[in-house]
Short mmCIF file of all heavy atoms in Angstrom, two decimals:
data_model
loop_
_atom_site.label_atom_id
_atom_site.label_comp_id
_atom_site.label_asym_id
_atom_site.label_seq_id
_atom_site.Cartn_x
_atom_site.Cartn_y
_atom_site.Cartn_z
N GLY A 348 -0.85 24.52 9.39
CA GLY A 348 -1.67 23.36 9.18
C GLY A 348 -2.68 23.15 10.22
O GLY A 348 -3.84 22.80 9.93
N ARG A 349 -2.33 23.36 11.46
CA ARG A 349 -3.26 23.23 12.54
C ARG A 349 -4.41 24.23 12.45
O ARG A 349 -5.56 23.88 12.62
CB ARG A 349 -2.55 23.39 13.88
CG ARG A 349 -3.40 23.20 15.12
CD ARG A 349 -2.60 23.14 16.37
NE ARG A 349 -1.84 24.35 16.54
CZ ARG A 349 -1.01 24.58 17.57
NH1 ARG A 349 -0.77 23.60 18.43
NH2 ARG A 349 -0.31 25.68 17.65
N ALA A 350 -4.04 25.48 12.08
CA ALA A 350 -5.08 26.52 11.93
C ALA A 350 -6.06 26.14 10.81
O ALA A 350 -7.27 26.32 10.95
CB ALA A 350 -4.39 27.85 11.64
N ALA A 351 -5.53 25.60 9.73
CA ALA A 351 -6.42 25.19 8.61
C ALA A 351 -7.34 24.08 9.02
O ALA A 351 -8.53 24.08 8.68
CB ALA A 351 -5.55 24.74 7.41
N ALA A 352 -6.83 23.14 9.85
CA ALA A 352 -7.67 22.05 10.38
C ALA A 352 -8.75 22.61 11.26
O ALA A 352 -9.90 22.15 11.20
CB ALA A 352 -6.83 21.06 11.10
N MET A 353 -8.42 23.54 12.10
CA MET A 353 -9.44 24.12 13.01
C MET A 353 -10.56 24.86 12.24
O MET A 353 -11.67 24.88 12.64
CB MET A 353 -8.75 25.06 14.02
CG MET A 353 -7.82 24.30 15.02
SD MET A 353 -8.63 22.88 15.80
CE MET A 353 -7.29 22.35 16.89
N GLN A 354 -10.14 25.48 11.15
CA GLN A 354 -11.08 26.19 10.27
C GLN A 354 -12.10 25.16 9.69
O GLN A 354 -13.29 25.39 9.73
CB GLN A 354 -10.33 26.90 9.15
CG GLN A 354 -11.01 28.12 8.66
CD GLN A 354 -10.03 28.92 7.75
OE1 GLN A 354 -8.90 28.58 7.57
NE2 GLN A 354 -10.56 30.04 7.24
N LEU A 355 -11.58 24.04 9.23
CA LEU A 355 -12.43 22.99 8.65
C LEU A 355 -13.30 22.41 9.81
O LEU A 355 -14.50 22.12 9.61
CB LEU A 355 -11.55 21.89 8.09
CG LEU A 355 -12.20 20.78 7.25
CD1 LEU A 355 -12.86 21.37 6.04
CD2 LEU A 355 -11.19 19.74 6.84
N ASP A 356 -12.74 22.30 11.02
CA ASP A 356 -13.43 21.73 12.15
C ASP A 356 -14.61 22.63 12.57
O ASP A 356 -15.57 22.15 13.29
CB ASP A 356 -12.47 21.51 13.29
CG ASP A 356 -12.96 20.55 14.34
OD1 ASP A 356 -13.67 19.63 13.96
OD2 ASP A 356 -12.62 20.73 15.52
N ALA A 357 -14.57 23.88 12.22
CA ALA A 357 -15.64 24.82 12.62
C ALA A 357 -16.88 24.70 11.70
O ALA A 357 -17.96 25.32 12.03
CB ALA A 357 -15.12 26.28 12.53
N LEU A 358 -16.79 23.97 10.67
CA LEU A 358 -17.91 23.82 9.72
C LEU A 358 -18.88 22.75 10.23
O LEU A 358 -18.52 21.83 10.96
CB LEU A 358 -17.39 23.41 8.30
CG LEU A 358 -16.42 24.38 7.65
CD1 LEU A 358 -15.96 23.81 6.32
CD2 LEU A 358 -16.97 25.79 7.45
N ARG A 359 -20.12 22.84 9.75
CA ARG A 359 -21.15 21.84 10.13
C ARG A 359 -20.74 20.41 9.63
O ARG A 359 -21.18 19.43 10.16
CB ARG A 359 -22.50 22.18 9.49
CG ARG A 359 -23.22 23.25 10.31
CD ARG A 359 -24.60 23.47 9.66
NE ARG A 359 -25.30 24.53 10.40
CZ ARG A 359 -26.42 25.07 9.96
NH1 ARG A 359 -26.98 24.67 8.81
NH2 ARG A 359 -27.01 26.01 10.72
N SER A 360 -19.98 20.43 8.54
CA SER A 360 -19.63 19.09 7.96
C SER A 360 -18.42 18.39 8.65
O SER A 360 -17.92 17.43 8.18
CB SER A 360 -19.25 19.32 6.49
OG SER A 360 -18.19 20.29 6.39
N THR A 361 -18.02 18.94 9.82
CA THR A 361 -16.88 18.34 10.54
C THR A 361 -17.20 16.90 10.96
O THR A 361 -18.33 16.44 10.89
CB THR A 361 -16.42 19.21 11.70
OG1 THR A 361 -15.22 18.67 12.18
CG2 THR A 361 -17.46 19.16 12.83
#
Side-chain angles (χ1 to χ4, degrees):
R349 184 172 56 184
M353 294 308 182
Q354 211 168 356
L355 190 62
D356 199 31
L358 303 177
R359 279 184 182 170
S360 57
T361 189

